[in-house]
Amino acid sequence: MRNENLTQGAFSFVNGSSEMASLIRMKNWSGSPLGALESWPEMLKSMIATVLASPFPMHICWGKQLFLFYNDAYRPILGSTKHPVAMGNPIGDSFPEVWEQVGPLYQTVLEGQSVRHSDRELILNRNGSPETCYFDFSYSPIIGRGGQVLGVMTYVVETSVRKFAEIEKLKLSKSVYAINEELTTSNEELVQANEELMAVQEHLKQTINQLEESDTSLRLAVEAADFGIWHIHSLSRDFITTPRLRELFGLGHFEKIIIEQAITQIREDFRDYVSTTLENAIYNNGEYDVTYPVIGLNDNKLRWLRAIGRLRADPSGEFSDFTGVVMDVSDIKKDEERKNDFIGMVSHELKTPLTSISAYLQFLEMQISKAGADNLQRPVARVIMQVRKMSKMIEGFLDLARFESAKIQLNREIFDLAGLCTELELEFADQIGTHIIKFSGKESVMVFADRDKIAQVINNLVGNAAKYSPNGSTILMSCVRKKNIAMVSIQDQGIGVEGNEQVKLFERYYRGENNGTIAGFGIGLYLSAEIINRHNGKIWVESEAGNGSTFWFTVPLAN
Amino acid sequence: MKRILIIDDNGSNLEMLGLIFTSEGFEVKLLPDPQNIESVLRSFSPRVVLMDIVMGRFSGTDVCLWIKKNPDFPLVKVLLMTASNAFKTLSPSETLADGHIDKPFDIHEVFALVDGLLDQNAG
């Protein structure tokens, strides 16, 4: 106010209404290097007035010290910390952070040249912290009447916003490029993966084709053989069957059948045997190859079926699949029955004349003895013995025939197996004078089995032992309990059995290779094995050629 | 006198049995079939009947049951014999016979069996 009143004329150059004009007007310049305002050179005043009047950001720097005067348009470039101190002070003092860069430019201008920069980056500290800014500016000399440089005139536009946008754009495009690159790479990988996939697919197609082919041939084979197929899940006991299987059990093609129903269709005398074997196969991985008669549910027709199954554990280990085939063996079975009937009939027909022969011979023997014809006694005794042998063979055939046609059922009862052995030991002592037969068991072993049939097995094994071991040698019998089974052994000191013969021994009509001089039809061991198998027991031999044999068999304990 | 009635459809066996029992001092009556058995049982009154099971259209087991259930012949002992395997599945409690004999047989065993039955009768 004071200045306004005092020096009206001298203040005319800052008369404008702009903020900066007012600032210059109000400031007390008397203590400054420029001195009081009214003493400033006309040229300076004129330049300040020009700057203040411009709507474009401008400033001038006066004199060698570069005293700064700026207009309102320039004001934002100074931020919050440089204004208003910068006004009238050397510009270097206000921009120490960039002086190293711009100071030399001013120097150049003071020497008479102009400077023009576009998008010049400068890091200003104008709001309390360093800040990257961009400017378009020109510095040009203020030339006096005498041509001398009085100061610097600056036009400046801050381009930071545009520049940053450009940078962002660049960054963005760079990252777009990077993404694009990545995409290209991924795409290449994708193409490769696709190619691999196609190769796998081709392979899969081939595999499926092969699988279909093998499936077709399997199905053709199964159909040609007229097999029924079934499948049992060990946990759920789901019973999946083919129409042919249902047909074999006397059901319609579309009727449902559950495993229990199928077992009920099995003829009663075979039902327990099949059911036990089946359970053992599913839960203990036992062998499953059984032949049994089935009465058809709807047609009441009797069919003989042979079923063969195999257990396959699921990879999870949690359950198993029991799968198998069933075939109609009725014709085979009928042939077998006819054959067995024939054997039975022949045996019966042979026994009738044998009865006469044997009785007449015994009568003859008695008469010879009475008459004292000693020279005839021996031959007659021989003939009687031969006839007895013949009777035994015929008996064996009959047994076989009976067993095979399954007319004989097991009559199971609970009895003491050791007791039976003791009984038989006494009988053997009577019948077999050629060998010493000893039974070593003392404790009773209660079993659930057919007593007569087991006796037949022991009889047969001991008979064999006597047949195949030297006279006067010992035959040892034992009977022990082991877990839930009873084990019986018959040990001889005979000719023994070669390893490769040990299994064949129990086959029908099989005879050892080195026993050409010993009579028999190879029926006894086969029958014994059949009897023990029917009991769900096991029969086997441990032997070494020349070192005697031990025959073993097992039957279930009573419980 | 020990009287025995023997019935068998096989002529050779019948003749053989007649011979051996006669030689053992039995009074023997032989029949090829059981058709007239009732009158023979009454007229001959045997102590023992030795009979085959399979005799053409006649069944020894049926005849045996008939004798055993007939109150007129309470003391008659019956022995059944066969060349088949019938006795592997038939028990005396089913046939009601006093003994079973498998063919071919040991004549000494048959004598022993018959003697045993005669002793029972005597007692």
Side-chain angles (χ1 to χ4, degrees), chain A residues 82-123:
Chain A
K82 297 189 191 292
H83 171 82
V85 191
M87 188 64 89
N89 282 317
I91 188 170
D93 295 353
S94 292
F95 291 92
E97 69 270 34
V98 293
W99 198 244
E100 218 170 282
Q101 292 148 275
V102 297
L105 297 178
Y106 278 99
Q107 212 46 56
T108 311
V109 180
L110 286 177
E111 284 162 16
Q113 295 184 26
S114 291
V115 175
R116 169 82 163 90
H117 280 240
S118 284
D119 286 337
R120 171 72 196 249
E121 181 189 284
L122 291 171
I123 295 166

mmCIF file of all heavy atoms in Angstrom, chain A residues 82-123:
data_model
loop_
_atom_site.group_PDB
_atom_site.id
_atom_site.type_symbol
_atom_site.label_atom_id
_atom_site.label_comp_id
_atom_site.label_asym_id
_atom_site.label_seq_id
_atom_site.Cartn_x
_atom_site.Cartn_y
_atom_site.Cartn_z
ATOM 1 N N LYS A 82 8.730 -23.437 -3.659
ATOM 2 C CA LYS A 82 9.644 -22.457 -4.250
ATOM 3 C C LYS A 82 9.013 -21.046 -4.356
ATOM 4 O O LYS A 82 9.710 -20.030 -4.306
ATOM 5 C CB LYS A 82 10.093 -22.940 -5.628
ATOM 6 C CG LYS A 82 10.887 -24.268 -5.543
ATOM 7 C CD LYS A 82 11.509 -24.605 -6.879
ATOM 8 C CE LYS A 82 12.066 -25.998 -6.927
ATOM 9 N NZ LYS A 82 13.246 -26.198 -6.065
ATOM 10 N N HIS A 83 7.722 -20.999 -4.499
ATOM 11 C CA HIS A 83 6.997 -19.719 -4.553
ATOM 12 C C HIS A 83 6.598 -19.332 -3.130
ATOM 13 O O HIS A 83 6.265 -20.236 -2.370
ATOM 14 C CB HIS A 83 5.744 -19.908 -5.433
ATOM 15 C CG HIS A 83 4.793 -18.735 -5.406
ATOM 16 N ND1 HIS A 83 5.005 -17.598 -6.195
ATOM 17 C CD2 HIS A 83 3.658 -18.518 -4.680
ATOM 18 C CE1 HIS A 83 4.009 -16.746 -5.948
ATOM 19 N NE2 HIS A 83 3.180 -17.282 -5.028
ATOM 20 N N PRO A 84 6.606 -18.201 -2.652
ATOM 21 C CA PRO A 84 6.921 -16.956 -3.398
ATOM 22 C C PRO A 84 8.375 -16.520 -3.242
ATOM 23 O O PRO A 84 8.764 -15.474 -3.787
ATOM 24 C CB PRO A 84 5.974 -15.947 -2.729
ATOM 25 C CG PRO A 84 5.858 -16.421 -1.309
ATOM 26 C CD PRO A 84 6.036 -17.907 -1.311
ATOM 27 N N VAL A 85 9.184 -17.335 -2.498
ATOM 28 C CA VAL A 85 10.569 -16.943 -2.207
ATOM 29 C C VAL A 85 11.370 -16.660 -3.477
ATOM 30 O O VAL A 85 12.244 -15.786 -3.521
ATOM 31 C CB VAL A 85 11.267 -18.046 -1.379
ATOM 32 C CG1 VAL A 85 12.591 -17.569 -0.830
ATOM 33 C CG2 VAL A 85 10.357 -18.530 -0.265
ATOM 34 N N ALA A 86 11.032 -17.465 -4.526
ATOM 35 C CA ALA A 86 11.825 -17.361 -5.753
ATOM 36 C C ALA A 86 11.752 -15.991 -6.413
ATOM 37 O O ALA A 86 12.681 -15.576 -7.112
ATOM 38 C CB ALA A 86 11.328 -18.446 -6.722
ATOM 39 N N MET A 87 10.629 -15.289 -6.199
ATOM 40 C CA MET A 87 10.387 -14.028 -6.903
ATOM 41 C C MET A 87 11.488 -13.003 -6.561
ATOM 42 O O MET A 87 11.687 -12.657 -5.390
ATOM 43 C CB MET A 87 8.998 -13.479 -6.514
ATOM 44 C CG MET A 87 8.555 -12.270 -7.314
ATOM 45 S SD MET A 87 8.334 -12.615 -9.065
ATOM 46 C CE MET A 87 6.644 -13.121 -9.085
ATOM 47 N N GLY A 88 12.231 -12.581 -7.588
ATOM 48 C CA GLY A 88 13.231 -11.525 -7.438
ATOM 49 C C GLY A 88 14.579 -12.022 -6.931
ATOM 50 O O GLY A 88 15.524 -11.261 -6.845
ATOM 51 N N ASN A 89 14.656 -13.325 -6.627
ATOM 52 C CA ASN A 89 15.927 -13.870 -6.153
ATOM 53 C C ASN A 89 16.640 -14.594 -7.286
ATOM 54 O O ASN A 89 16.007 -15.007 -8.244
ATOM 55 C CB ASN A 89 15.687 -14.832 -4.994
ATOM 56 C CG ASN A 89 15.437 -14.073 -3.690
ATOM 57 O OD1 ASN A 89 16.120 -13.098 -3.385
ATOM 58 N ND2 ASN A 89 14.406 -14.510 -2.962
ATOM 59 N N PRO A 90 17.963 -14.775 -7.175
ATOM 60 C CA PRO A 90 18.678 -15.486 -8.234
ATOM 61 C C PRO A 90 18.062 -16.887 -8.445
ATOM 62 O O PRO A 90 17.816 -17.599 -7.466
ATOM 63 C CB PRO A 90 20.108 -15.616 -7.687
ATOM 64 C CG PRO A 90 20.234 -14.499 -6.700
ATOM 65 C CD PRO A 90 18.861 -14.314 -6.109
ATOM 66 N N ILE A 91 17.834 -17.214 -9.703
ATOM 67 C CA ILE A 91 17.124 -18.466 -9.997
ATOM 68 C C ILE A 91 17.891 -19.687 -9.481
ATOM 69 O O ILE A 91 17.317 -20.686 -9.046
ATOM 70 C CB ILE A 91 16.823 -18.576 -11.503
ATOM 71 C CG1 ILE A 91 15.891 -19.794 -11.755
ATOM 72 C CG2 ILE A 91 18.095 -18.647 -12.344
ATOM 73 C CD1 ILE A 91 15.332 -19.864 -13.139
ATOM 74 N N GLY A 92 19.215 -19.587 -9.480
ATOM 75 C CA GLY A 92 20.052 -20.700 -8.992
ATOM 76 C C GLY A 92 19.741 -21.047 -7.556
ATOM 77 O O GLY A 92 19.799 -22.231 -7.185
ATOM 78 N N ASP A 93 19.364 -19.996 -6.751
ATOM 79 C CA ASP A 93 19.074 -20.271 -5.351
ATOM 80 C C ASP A 93 17.782 -21.075 -5.219
ATOM 81 O O ASP A 93 17.609 -21.846 -4.271
ATOM 82 C CB ASP A 93 18.915 -18.958 -4.557
ATOM 83 C CG ASP A 93 20.233 -18.143 -4.491
ATOM 84 O OD1 ASP A 93 21.261 -18.735 -4.963
ATOM 85 O OD2 ASP A 93 20.220 -17.013 -3.992
ATOM 86 N N SER A 94 16.860 -20.859 -6.155
ATOM 87 C CA SER A 94 15.577 -21.535 -6.052
ATOM 88 C C SER A 94 15.619 -22.952 -6.653
ATOM 89 O O SER A 94 14.756 -23.777 -6.366
ATOM 90 C CB SER A 94 14.494 -20.720 -6.766
ATOM 91 O OG SER A 94 14.280 -19.520 -6.049
ATOM 92 N N PHE A 95 16.569 -23.203 -7.555
ATOM 93 C CA PHE A 95 16.640 -24.553 -8.177
ATOM 94 C C PHE A 95 18.003 -25.214 -7.981
ATOM 95 O O PHE A 95 18.653 -25.622 -8.949
ATOM 96 C CB PHE A 95 16.344 -24.450 -9.684
ATOM 97 C CG PHE A 95 14.914 -24.082 -10.001
ATOM 98 C CD1 PHE A 95 14.535 -22.762 -10.177
ATOM 99 C CD2 PHE A 95 13.943 -25.097 -10.114
ATOM 100 C CE1 PHE A 95 13.212 -22.434 -10.456
ATOM 101 C CE2 PHE A 95 12.633 -24.737 -10.396
ATOM 102 C CZ PHE A 95 12.246 -23.426 -10.575
ATOM 103 N N PRO A 96 18.429 -25.311 -6.673
ATOM 104 C CA PRO A 96 19.768 -25.904 -6.475
ATOM 105 C C PRO A 96 19.838 -27.353 -6.996
ATOM 106 O O PRO A 96 20.890 -27.802 -7.461
ATOM 107 C CB PRO A 96 19.931 -25.856 -4.948
ATOM 108 C CG PRO A 96 18.542 -25.805 -4.382
ATOM 109 C CD PRO A 96 17.711 -25.058 -5.406
ATOM 110 N N GLU A 97 18.695 -28.093 -6.956
ATOM 111 C CA GLU A 97 18.703 -29.529 -7.302
ATOM 112 C C GLU A 97 18.976 -29.786 -8.792
ATOM 113 O O GLU A 97 19.395 -30.868 -9.170
ATOM 114 C CB GLU A 97 17.386 -30.209 -6.873
ATOM 115 C CG GLU A 97 16.134 -29.792 -7.648
ATOM 116 C CD GLU A 97 15.393 -28.591 -7.026
ATOM 117 O OE1 GLU A 97 16.076 -27.711 -6.475
ATOM 118 O OE2 GLU A 97 14.149 -28.536 -7.104
ATOM 119 N N VAL A 98 18.705 -28.748 -9.635
ATOM 120 C CA VAL A 98 18.943 -28.957 -11.064
ATOM 121 C C VAL A 98 19.965 -27.979 -11.608
ATOM 122 O O VAL A 98 20.187 -27.891 -12.824
ATOM 123 C CB VAL A 98 17.630 -28.855 -11.874
ATOM 124 C CG1 VAL A 98 16.691 -30.003 -11.523
ATOM 125 C CG2 VAL A 98 16.954 -27.510 -11.641
ATOM 126 N N TRP A 99 20.565 -27.205 -10.734
ATOM 127 C CA TRP A 99 21.431 -26.104 -11.215
ATOM 128 C C TRP A 99 22.608 -26.624 -12.008
ATOM 129 O O TRP A 99 23.082 -26.007 -12.958
ATOM 130 C CB TRP A 99 21.860 -25.224 -10.061
ATOM 131 C CG TRP A 99 22.338 -23.894 -10.612
ATOM 132 C CD1 TRP A 99 23.597 -23.364 -10.535
ATOM 133 C CD2 TRP A 99 21.551 -23.006 -11.366
ATOM 134 N NE1 TRP A 99 23.661 -22.178 -11.183
ATOM 135 C CE2 TRP A 99 22.398 -21.928 -11.733
ATOM 136 C CE3 TRP A 99 20.225 -22.971 -11.794
ATOM 137 C CZ2 TRP A 99 21.961 -20.840 -12.489
ATOM 138 C CZ3 TRP A 99 19.830 -21.890 -12.538
ATOM 139 C CH2 TRP A 99 20.682 -20.865 -12.893
ATOM 140 N N GLU A 100 23.080 -27.783 -11.600
ATOM 141 C CA GLU A 100 24.217 -28.361 -12.309
ATOM 142 C C GLU A 100 23.892 -28.576 -13.780
ATOM 143 O O GLU A 100 24.751 -28.473 -14.649
ATOM 144 C CB GLU A 100 24.572 -29.711 -11.667
ATOM 145 C CG GLU A 100 26.067 -29.978 -11.606
ATOM 146 C CD GLU A 100 26.360 -31.188 -10.764
ATOM 147 O OE1 GLU A 100 26.322 -31.057 -9.502
ATOM 148 O OE2 GLU A 100 26.586 -32.269 -11.330
ATOM 149 N N GLN A 101 22.567 -28.908 -14.022
ATOM 150 C CA GLN A 101 22.183 -29.181 -15.400
ATOM 151 C C GLN A 101 21.799 -27.896 -16.168
ATOM 152 O O GLN A 101 22.180 -27.722 -17.316
ATOM 153 C CB GLN A 101 20.977 -30.149 -15.431
ATOM 154 C CG GLN A 101 21.328 -31.538 -14.951
ATOM 155 C CD GLN A 101 20.157 -32.197 -14.255
ATOM 156 O OE1 GLN A 101 19.964 -31.979 -13.047
ATOM 157 N NE2 GLN A 101 19.385 -32.957 -15.008
ATOM 158 N N VAL A 102 21.013 -27.045 -15.468
ATOM 159 C CA VAL A 102 20.513 -25.866 -16.219
ATOM 160 C C VAL A 102 21.428 -24.643 -16.098
ATOM 161 O O VAL A 102 21.403 -23.757 -16.974
ATOM 162 C CB VAL A 102 19.056 -25.500 -15.836
ATOM 163 C CG1 VAL A 102 18.123 -26.610 -16.196
ATOM 164 C CG2 VAL A 102 18.950 -25.154 -14.368
ATOM 165 N N GLY A 103 22.226 -24.580 -15.012
ATOM 166 C CA GLY A 103 23.149 -23.442 -14.826
ATOM 167 C C GLY A 103 23.974 -23.181 -16.084
ATOM 168 O O GLY A 103 23.987 -22.046 -16.619
ATOM 169 N N PRO A 104 24.660 -24.239 -16.637
ATOM 170 C CA PRO A 104 25.474 -24.032 -17.843
ATOM 171 C C PRO A 104 24.668 -23.517 -19.015
ATOM 172 O O PRO A 104 25.190 -22.744 -19.855
ATOM 173 C CB PRO A 104 26.001 -25.437 -18.136
ATOM 174 C CG PRO A 104 25.950 -26.160 -16.818
ATOM 175 C CD PRO A 104 24.776 -25.590 -16.086
ATOM 176 N N LEU A 105 23.358 -23.908 -19.079
ATOM 177 C CA LEU A 105 22.529 -23.438 -20.196
ATOM 178 C C LEU A 105 22.367 -21.929 -20.102
ATOM 179 O O LEU A 105 22.478 -21.208 -21.093
ATOM 180 C CB LEU A 105 21.144 -24.106 -20.143
ATOM 181 C CG LEU A 105 21.099 -25.638 -20.298
ATOM 182 C CD1 LEU A 105 19.675 -26.138 -20.177
ATOM 183 C CD2 LEU A 105 21.713 -26.065 -21.632
ATOM 184 N N TYR A 106 22.086 -21.439 -18.862
ATOM 185 C CA TYR A 106 21.935 -19.981 -18.643
ATOM 186 C C TYR A 106 23.203 -19.255 -19.039
ATOM 187 O O TYR A 106 23.178 -18.190 -19.639
ATOM 188 C CB TYR A 106 21.570 -19.707 -17.175
ATOM 189 C CG TYR A 106 20.071 -19.894 -16.932
ATOM 190 C CD1 TYR A 106 19.566 -21.060 -16.392
ATOM 191 C CD2 TYR A 106 19.185 -18.855 -17.275
ATOM 192 C CE1 TYR A 106 18.222 -21.221 -16.195
ATOM 193 C CE2 TYR A 106 17.827 -19.027 -17.079
ATOM 194 C CZ TYR A 106 17.336 -20.201 -16.552
ATOM 195 O OH TYR A 106 16.011 -20.353 -16.384
ATOM 196 N N GLN A 107 24.276 -19.918 -18.663
ATOM 197 C CA GLN A 107 25.566 -19.300 -18.974
ATOM 198 C C GLN A 107 25.722 -19.094 -20.479
ATOM 199 O O GLN A 107 26.148 -18.052 -20.947
ATOM 200 C CB GLN A 107 26.695 -20.216 -18.431
ATOM 201 C CG GLN A 107 27.934 -19.433 -17.969
ATOM 202 C CD GLN A 107 27.576 -18.211 -17.099
ATOM 203 O OE1 GLN A 107 26.909 -18.336 -16.090
ATOM 204 N NE2 GLN A 107 28.005 -17.018 -17.500
ATOM 205 N N THR A 108 25.292 -20.155 -21.216
ATOM 206 C CA THR A 108 25.364 -20.091 -22.677
ATOM 207 C C THR A 108 24.534 -18.926 -23.221
ATOM 208 O O THR A 108 24.968 -18.174 -24.107
ATOM 209 C CB THR A 108 24.801 -21.402 -23.270
ATOM 210 O OG1 THR A 108 25.404 -22.503 -22.609
ATOM 211 C CG2 THR A 108 25.070 -21.495 -24.764
ATOM 212 N N VAL A 109 23.311 -18.778 -22.608
ATOM 213 C CA VAL A 109 22.399 -17.725 -23.088
ATOM 214 C C VAL A 109 23.005 -16.331 -22.770
ATOM 215 O O VAL A 109 22.936 -15.427 -23.597
ATOM 216 C CB VAL A 109 21.006 -17.882 -22.467
ATOM 217 C CG1 VAL A 109 20.060 -16.783 -22.970
ATOM 218 C CG2 VAL A 109 20.432 -19.252 -22.801
ATOM 219 N N LEU A 110 23.577 -16.224 -21.576
ATOM 220 C CA LEU A 110 24.191 -14.936 -21.185
ATOM 221 C C LEU A 110 25.294 -14.568 -22.182
ATOM 222 O O LEU A 110 25.633 -13.411 -22.357
ATOM 223 C CB LEU A 110 24.758 -15.013 -19.761
ATOM 224 C CG LEU A 110 23.690 -15.011 -18.643
ATOM 225 C CD1 LEU A 110 24.340 -15.162 -17.268
ATOM 226 C CD2 LEU A 110 22.843 -13.728 -18.670
ATOM 227 N N GLU A 111 25.804 -15.625 -22.856
ATOM 228 C CA GLU A 111 26.859 -15.336 -23.834
ATOM 229 C C GLU A 111 26.293 -15.043 -25.229
ATOM 230 O O GLU A 111 27.033 -14.918 -26.207
ATOM 231 C CB GLU A 111 27.838 -16.517 -23.924
ATOM 232 C CG GLU A 111 28.793 -16.555 -22.722
ATOM 233 C CD GLU A 111 29.448 -17.920 -22.549
ATOM 234 O OE1 GLU A 111 29.420 -18.727 -23.506
ATOM 235 O OE2 GLU A 111 29.969 -18.169 -21.447
ATOM 236 N N GLY A 112 24.922 -15.025 -25.285
ATOM 237 C CA GLY A 112 24.317 -14.551 -26.533
ATOM 238 C C GLY A 112 23.621 -15.629 -27.345
ATOM 239 O O GLY A 112 23.072 -15.366 -28.409
ATOM 240 N N GLN A 113 23.591 -16.847 -26.905
ATOM 241 C CA GLN A 113 22.933 -17.870 -27.712
ATOM 242 C C GLN A 113 21.580 -18.223 -27.137
ATOM 243 O O GLN A 113 21.294 -17.973 -25.979
ATOM 244 C CB GLN A 113 23.803 -19.136 -27.720
ATOM 245 C CG GLN A 113 25.134 -18.885 -28.426
ATOM 246 C CD GLN A 113 25.960 -20.151 -28.516
ATOM 247 O OE1 GLN A 113 25.402 -21.234 -28.509
ATOM 248 N NE2 GLN A 113 27.264 -19.973 -28.596
ATOM 249 N N SER A 114 20.726 -18.871 -27.955
ATOM 250 C CA SER A 114 19.437 -19.349 -27.463
ATOM 251 C C SER A 114 19.505 -20.872 -27.253
ATOM 252 O O SER A 114 20.301 -21.544 -27.897
ATOM 253 C CB SER A 114 18.333 -19.041 -28.479
ATOM 254 O OG SER A 114 18.135 -17.649 -28.513
ATOM 255 N N VAL A 115 18.602 -21.314 -26.361
ATOM 256 C CA VAL A 115 18.556 -22.774 -26.070
ATOM 257 C C VAL A 115 17.116 -23.233 -26.186
ATOM 258 O O VAL A 115 16.204 -22.539 -25.754
ATOM 259 C CB VAL A 115 19.081 -23.053 -24.650
ATOM 260 C CG1 VAL A 115 18.930 -24.520 -24.312
ATOM 261 C CG2 VAL A 115 20.515 -22.614 -24.496
ATOM 262 N N ARG A 116 16.944 -24.357 -26.857
ATOM 263 C CA ARG A 116 15.588 -24.887 -26.984
ATOM 264 C C ARG A 116 15.637 -26.355 -26.600
ATOM 265 O O ARG A 116 16.430 -27.128 -27.130
ATOM 266 C CB ARG A 116 15.131 -24.747 -28.453
ATOM 267 C CG ARG A 116 13.860 -25.476 -28.815
ATOM 268 C CD ARG A 116 12.632 -24.631 -28.400
ATOM 269 N NE ARG A 116 11.405 -25.102 -29.081
ATOM 270 C CZ ARG A 116 10.614 -26.020 -28.597
ATOM 271 N NH1 ARG A 116 10.908 -26.608 -27.464
ATOM 272 N NH2 ARG A 116 9.518 -26.354 -29.255
ATOM 273 N N HIS A 117 14.767 -26.795 -25.624
ATOM 274 C CA HIS A 117 14.720 -28.201 -25.231
ATOM 275 C C HIS A 117 13.301 -28.696 -25.270
ATOM 276 O O HIS A 117 12.381 -27.976 -24.917
ATOM 277 C CB HIS A 117 15.269 -28.369 -23.793
ATOM 278 C CG HIS A 117 16.759 -28.382 -23.737
ATOM 279 N ND1 HIS A 117 17.484 -29.432 -23.266
ATOM 280 C CD2 HIS A 117 17.712 -27.474 -24.133
ATOM 281 C CE1 HIS A 117 18.771 -29.187 -23.342
ATOM 282 N NE2 HIS A 117 18.945 -27.968 -23.863
ATOM 283 N N SER A 118 13.152 -29.900 -25.702
ATOM 284 C CA SER A 118 11.832 -30.520 -25.694
ATOM 285 C C SER A 118 11.846 -31.711 -24.735
ATOM 286 O O SER A 118 12.784 -32.514 -24.741
ATOM 287 C CB SER A 118 11.490 -31.063 -27.083
ATOM 288 O OG SER A 118 11.143 -30.009 -27.929
ATOM 289 N N ASP A 119 10.766 -31.797 -24.012
ATOM 290 C CA ASP A 119 10.622 -32.943 -23.077
ATOM 291 C C ASP A 119 11.888 -33.203 -22.290
ATOM 292 O O ASP A 119 12.358 -34.325 -22.143
ATOM 293 C CB ASP A 119 10.226 -34.211 -23.828
ATOM 294 C CG ASP A 119 8.773 -34.188 -24.264
ATOM 295 O OD1 ASP A 119 7.983 -33.446 -23.633
ATOM 296 O OD2 ASP A 119 8.408 -34.913 -25.217
ATOM 297 N N ARG A 120 12.445 -32.122 -21.756
ATOM 298 C CA ARG A 120 13.674 -32.259 -20.973
ATOM 299 C C ARG A 120 13.310 -32.753 -19.586
ATOM 300 O O ARG A 120 12.456 -32.176 -18.912
ATOM 301 C CB ARG A 120 14.372 -30.882 -20.897
ATOM 302 C CG ARG A 120 15.543 -30.795 -19.963
ATOM 303 C CD ARG A 120 16.754 -31.572 -20.558
ATOM 304 N NE ARG A 120 17.745 -31.819 -19.522
ATOM 305 C CZ ARG A 120 18.932 -31.216 -19.513
ATOM 306 N NH1 ARG A 120 19.266 -30.357 -20.448
ATOM 307 N NH2 ARG A 120 19.796 -31.512 -18.567
ATOM 308 N N GLU A 121 13.969 -33.809 -19.196
ATOM 309 C CA GLU A 121 13.646 -34.378 -17.880
ATOM 310 C C GLU A 121 14.463 -33.677 -16.806
ATOM 311 O O GLU A 121 15.672 -33.502 -16.940
ATOM 312 C CB GLU A 121 13.974 -35.878 -17.876
ATOM 313 C CG GLU A 121 13.646 -36.564 -16.547
ATOM 314 C CD GLU A 121 14.169 -37.992 -16.477
ATOM 315 O OE1 GLU A 121 13.547 -38.879 -17.100
ATOM 316 O OE2 GLU A 121 15.199 -38.238 -15.804
ATOM 317 N N LEU A 122 13.775 -33.243 -15.746
ATOM 318 C CA LEU A 122 14.468 -32.615 -14.613
ATOM 319 C C LEU A 122 13.837 -33.139 -13.329
ATOM 320 O O LEU A 122 12.602 -33.271 -13.264
ATOM 321 C CB LEU A 122 14.311 -31.081 -14.656
ATOM 322 C CG LEU A 122 15.049 -30.363 -15.781
ATOM 323 C CD1 LEU A 122 14.620 -28.892 -15.831
ATOM 324 C CD2 LEU A 122 16.564 -30.456 -15.585
ATOM 325 N N ILE A 123 14.665 -33.451 -12.355
ATOM 326 C CA ILE A 123 14.086 -33.948 -11.105
ATOM 327 C C ILE A 123 14.033 -32.784 -10.125
ATOM 328 O O ILE A 123 15.050 -32.319 -9.612
ATOM 329 C CB ILE A 123 14.913 -35.117 -10.547
ATOM 330 C CG1 ILE A 123 14.806 -36.288 -11.546
ATOM 331 C CG2 ILE A 123 14.380 -35.561 -9.182
ATOM 332 C CD1 ILE A 123 15.804 -37.378 -11.326
#
